[in-house]
Each structure stands twice: as C-alpha cells, then as structure tokens.
Amino acid sequence: MKIKYAEILGEIEPIISSDNSLSEILAAITRLLKNKIFHYDWVGFYILDKDNAVLKLGPFSGKPTEHTTIAVGQGVCGQVAETMKLKVVQDVSTEGNYIACSLEVQSEIVVPILVNGQFVAEIDIDSHSPAPFTPEDEHFLTALSKKLATRF
Ligand code: SME
C-alpha cells in the first residue's frame, strides 16, 4: 500500500502546534510514525547535550535500547550531529561507523533538526527491511524536522 506522507504530515501538524510539552510532542510523533509507516520499526529522538558533546536519547517507540548516550561523531547518529546532514544507510552491514541496537535492524535514516543553523537534535529511524528508504522518506522527514525546529 502506498504511504500517504502528506496525510501523515497533516496529522502531525496539530501535535506540533499543541500546548503540550516538547517531550510529549516528540513521544506522540514517535508513536504515530511507528504505527503509520510499516518500514519504521524503531523511531526515536536524540537530543544534543552541548556541554558534554553527547547525544541523549529522548522519547522513542520500539524496543528499548542501551544506547542512551552517544558521543558526537560516534555511530550514524553521532556522524549526523557532526555533519548536520541527513544520512541514509540502506544496509547497516556496510557502514563502518555504526552502533548496533538490535540484530534485526537492516537499515537506518537519521535526520538532523537545526535551529538557526545549529544542530539541536535528530530523528533516528531503524528498519528491519533491507533498503526501504526512498527520496519520499527523505522529503517527508526533512519537512517534519523543519516543523519541529519551531518547538526547540
Ligand atoms: N544505530 C545508531 C545507534 C542508535 S540505535 O539505532 C537506536 C548509530 O549507529 O548511531
């Protein structure tokens, strides 16, 4: 079935503009994305702790991970914190700088959230499908990241 990204973005908008706290908003988005998009098996946010140059795990949906703190530069998440650029890994076995969360994970996409050109957080999505991410995922998640930046 074709994924209705525009519709999903429409459902996310009122969540972002609600009066809820940032962590409630992020948690609701992780639930919605995981439920609506079949190839999103783990959806979470990592938030930059600037003072310590680490990413701290924020709200997520999916199996708990032991990687609650990731150094900037380490793994796919840490690379994105450094480059501030979206990164798609269609086959995690080919990625040299990768932190495995679960053996089921085959692919990953990480999208930075920037405020005034500064990295503040990122959306991390793991998939159990091989090479599932398309340019549509990239456009959708980039649009989501821009909308979310208004709440940081
Ligand atoms: N795979 C990530 C680590 C985070 S887990 O996917 C939840 C990485 O390489 O940075």
Side-chain angles (χ1 to χ4, degrees):
M1 206 181 78
K2 190 142 172 49
I3 302 161
K4 298 183 173 129
Y5 288 97
E7 221 168 80
I8 299 170
L9 208 53
E11 285 180 53
I12 290 174
E13 267 158 15
I15 298 176
I16 294 178
S17 54
S18 74
D19 290 338
N20 291 337
S21 68
L22 178 60
S23 68
E24 284 169 326
I25 290 169
L26 298 182
I29 290 172
T30 66
R31 287 194 293 272
L32 193 136
L33 293 187
K34 186 176 183 303
N35 290 339
K36 295 260 166 167
I37 303 178
F38 71 94
H39 59 293
Y40 292 6
D41 292 295
W42 188 94
V43 180
F45 287 91
Y46 280 95
I47 320 284
L48 180 66
D49 170 351
K50 233 183 183 172
D51 297 338
N52 300 306
V54 293
L55 298 165
K56 294 277 189 193
L57 181 62
F60 67 93
S61 288
K63 280 189 197 155
T65 171
E66 60 189 29
H67 302 294
T68 53
T69 302
I70 295 176
V72 170
Q74 227 176 56
V76 182
C77 291
Q79 290 179 61
V80 170
E82 219 164 44
T83 62
M84 304 198 292
K85 297 237 182 318
L86 178 152
K87 187 168 168 92
V88 181
V89 180
Q90 298 283 21
D91 175 358
V92 295
S93 72
T94 64
E95 172 61 45
N97 188 1
Y98 170 70
I99 304 164
C101 274
S102 134
L103 292 176
E104 291 167 298
V105 175
Q106 299 214 36
S107 48
E108 178 164 12
I109 184 168
V110 181
V111 184
I113 300 171
L114 307 180
V115 175
N116 298 326
Q118 301 288 307
F119 176 91
V120 293
E122 63 191 22
I123 310 165
D124 178 22
I125 298 171
D126 287 340
S127 180
H128 299 168
S129 306
F133 300 114
T134 67
E136 273 197 294
D137 288 293
E138 296 187 30
H139 293 144
F140 165 68
L141 293 168
T142 301
L144 169 59
S145 153
K146 287 197 176 131
K147 287 182 193 297
L148 261 176
T150 60
R151 294 303 304 254
F152 277 83

